Amino acid sequence: MSDCLFCRIAAGAIDADVVHSSEGVMAFRDVSPKAPTHLLVIPREHVASVADLTASHEGLLVEMFDVIRSLAGRESLDGGYRVVTNVGADAGQSVDHLHFHLLGGRALGWPPG
Ligand code: DGP
């Protein structure tokens, strides 16, 4: 079993509040939510970050954004929402498995810290 936290969640070895599960993509609630809705959308395949994406991930990315759009609707984020991905230490990436944060349910400040 991989020692990657999100690979372990994707494999069901660590519990999470899962809101979407398909062959290629999973989404679950962030353990430390920063907004009323704070979901993490991940590929089941291990990709460390945006920095490791290639043209071969085109279909996966389309599916991930389809999931994001669908979840935003299910969470009734009618006022808008933010999709964020951190890459590397300066951006605060703490889990080295690609994930998009889907944040909403309140007004979100800009710029981020
Ligand atoms: P980032 O800092 O961008 O790498 O985001 C990682 C996010 O993962 C962070 O918001 C907290 C969340 N997180 C860390 N460990 C767990 C966990 O075990 N379960 C869940 N659901 N979320 C986690």
Side-chain angles (χ1 to χ4, degrees), residues 37-99:
T37 291
H38 187 172
L39 306 179
L40 300 172
V41 180
I42 69 166
R44 286 187 183 276
E45 170 192 349
H46 184 84
V47 179
S49 77
V50 163
D52 282 0
L53 288 170
T54 68
S56 70
H57 296 109
E58 181 183 350
L60 174 66
L61 286 171
V62 169
E63 185 184 352
M64 290 179 79
F65 279 92
D66 281 346
V67 169
I68 287 168
R69 202 165 44 250
S70 158
L71 289 171
R74 264 170 47 194
E75 295 278 320
S76 304
L77 303 181
D78 305 322
Y81 55 90
R82 184 168 294 161
V83 180
V84 180
T85 188
N86 295 317
V87 182
D90 280 0
Q93 184 177 8
S94 60
V95 180
D96 289 334
H97 183 124
L98 177 65
H99 50 284

Side-chain angles (χ1 to χ4, degrees), residues 5-6 9 28-31 40 86 92-95 99 101:
L5 175 64
F6 286 176
I9 287 177
F28 49 89
R29 294 193 189 279
D30 194 292
V31 77
L40 300 172
N86 295 317
Q93 184 177 8
S94 60
V95 180
H99 50 284
H101 298 257

